[in-house]
Amino acid sequence: MSVDQMRPAAAEAPTDAASGRRRLGGGRGGKWWIPWLFLAPAIVLFALFKFIPMGSALVMSFQDVQPFLGNRWVGADNYATMLASDGFQQAAWHTVVLAVGQTTGSMALGFALALLMEGQSRKLGFIRSAAFLPVVVPMAVVAELWRIMYHPTGDGMINSLIGLVGLGPSGFINDPDTSMLSVIVTGIWRGAPYDMMIFMAGLAGVNRDLYEAATVDGATRWRRILHVTLPGLRSVFTILFVLAAIRGLRVFTEVFLLTNGGPNGSTEVVMTLIYKLGLEQNRLGVGAAGAVLLFVATLVLTVCVYLLRRKENR
């Protein structure tokens, strides 16, 4: 076939592709509203159950909310009340401790599990699924399970196990000295499998030639992890840190179900305090102010991590 005979066929291909894009609405003259039509249900749901309530909470944070009596504008008084209260300061400190403990523990355990389960063996598929199970179990079930294991008497599950090594029974979530640590352990148990899966995805992208070069140079396994694996997972660590930190700052369900902020306020966090102020004490304006402060703290943390990451990439 000559070159002149091939030219029409080559010229027809772009035309066919262009006509296909026009039929799908991707061209300039296409129906631009079609993608938005598919997104409309999700946008409506987000607007009704997320964006509009967020706007309402922001407005309520500047008001003295009185249901059925009318709201009274009080400016920044709700924020001043919240920031000056000892309960909020203690709850904020507990939230930071809980977030740091759960973030550090879940990332460390998730990384260790990812290193142990990395590979292509068929047996590892079942083990990975079993390890990931805590993530898909509802938090209410997880909390009740750990509540049973944390039974403070000597015949409780965990107390029976530590009794085998000569340790006395502990009160766990019923003891102000150990309640926070007990909640952190529960959060680590549930969050580590999620971090494990993200780390495993990141490990698949690490250049294997670097491992081989390090092995040839006589590097031990720990040195390969330190000088090859960890630098290769730097972006993964950043993403997981942001996600885990946000999850830790917004922790509510496990604390509410395990201790409800007790005993004696030893596990009170910002979210449980907001819940009690808004729904139990009917101080909706002050509770909304606390929610806005928590949102601002989460936003500032995310932006700071993003800026630091961007500065490192330059």
Side-chain angles (χ1 to χ4, degrees):
M1 183 180 293
S2 63
V3 176
D4 295 336
Q5 292 175 334
M6 295 176 61
R7 285 176 180 172
E12 290 176 0
T15 303
D16 295 340
S19 62
R21 287 195 299 269
R22 284 195 295 270
R23 286 195 300 269
L24 294 174
R28 291 183 179 178
K31 298 178 180 179
W32 58 269
W33 50 269
I34 291 180
W36 291 102
L37 182 62
F38 285 99
L39 292 174
I43 293 175
V44 170
L45 290 176
F46 269 92
L48 289 177
F49 297 102
K50 188 171 185 178
F51 299 128
I52 293 178
M54 287 174 61
S56 300
L58 180 61
V59 174
M60 288 168 56
S61 67
F62 296 99
Q63 296 176 333
D64 179 16
V65 181
Q66 299 176 345
F68 309 109
L69 298 177
N71 301 338
R72 183 171 59 89
W73 189 266
V74 295
D77 289 350
N78 290 331
Y79 292 93
T81 301
M82 179 64 78
L83 292 173
S85 65
D86 294 335
F88 177 76
Q89 295 174 7
Q90 293 178 0
W93 171 247
H94 293 160
T95 302
V96 172
V97 172
L98 192 63
V100 171
Q102 288 189 352
T103 300
T104 305
S106 62
M107 289 181 65
L109 182 57
F111 180 66
L113 291 173
L115 292 177
L116 292 174
M117 298 187 186
E118 184 187 16
Q120 301 297 328
S121 175
R122 293 183 179 180
K123 297 180 180 179
L124 291 177
F126 173 77
I127 298 176
R128 292 171 187 165
S129 301
F132 191 73
L133 187 61
V135 180
V136 300
V137 176
M139 191 62 225
V141 177
V142 172
E144 188 60 29
L145 174 65
W146 280 89
R147 179 187 291 275
I148 295 173
M149 292 192 298
Y150 281 148
H151 198 272
T153 60
D155 57 353
M157 180 178 176
I158 298 182
N159 277 328
S160 298
L161 294 176
I162 63 177
L164 298 176
V165 294
L167 298 178
S170 173
F172 296 113
I173 58 176
N174 297 282
D175 187 346
D177 296 329
T178 58
S179 56
M180 179 61 72
L181 180 59
S182 301
V183 175
I184 290 175
V185 170
T186 303
I188 292 173
W189 181 82
R190 192 169 192 268
Y194 177 83
D195 294 350
M196 175 195 71
M197 299 302 294
I198 303 298
F199 277 126
M200 290 179 63
L203 288 172
V206 178
N207 191 351
R208 299 295 163 178
D209 295 337
L210 298 177
Y211 286 112
E212 296 178 1
T215 303
V216 172
D217 291 340
T220 62
R221 179 177 178 82
W222 296 111
R223 288 190 174 274
R224 292 197 299 269
I225 293 174
L226 182 62
H227 297 288
V228 178
T229 306
L230 292 180
L233 294 177
R234 185 176 301 171
S235 59
V236 177
F237 273 103
T238 302
I239 295 172
L240 279 179
F241 174 77
V242 174
L243 294 177
I246 293 175
R247 186 171 65 237
L249 290 176
R250 297 171 58 187
V251 63
F252 171 76
T253 309
E254 52 263 49
V255 176
F256 179 75
L257 294 176
L258 284 172
T259 64
N260 194 22
N264 299 327
S266 58
T267 59
E268 191 81 87
V269 293
V270 174
M271 287 294 294
T272 57
L273 179 63
I274 292 172
Y275 173 83
K276 292 176 181 179
L277 288 173
L279 299 181
E280 293 183 1
Q281 302 179 20
N282 202 28
R283 301 172 65 187
L284 296 175
V286 180
V292 173
L293 290 173
L294 182 61
F295 171 76
V296 171
T298 305
L299 181 63
V300 169
L301 174 64
T302 305
V303 172
C304 290
V305 173
Y306 171 76
L307 293 177
L308 290 174
R309 179 62 181 164
R310 186 177 180 182
K311 185 177 180 181
E312 292 178 358
N313 292 334
R314 288 182 178 178

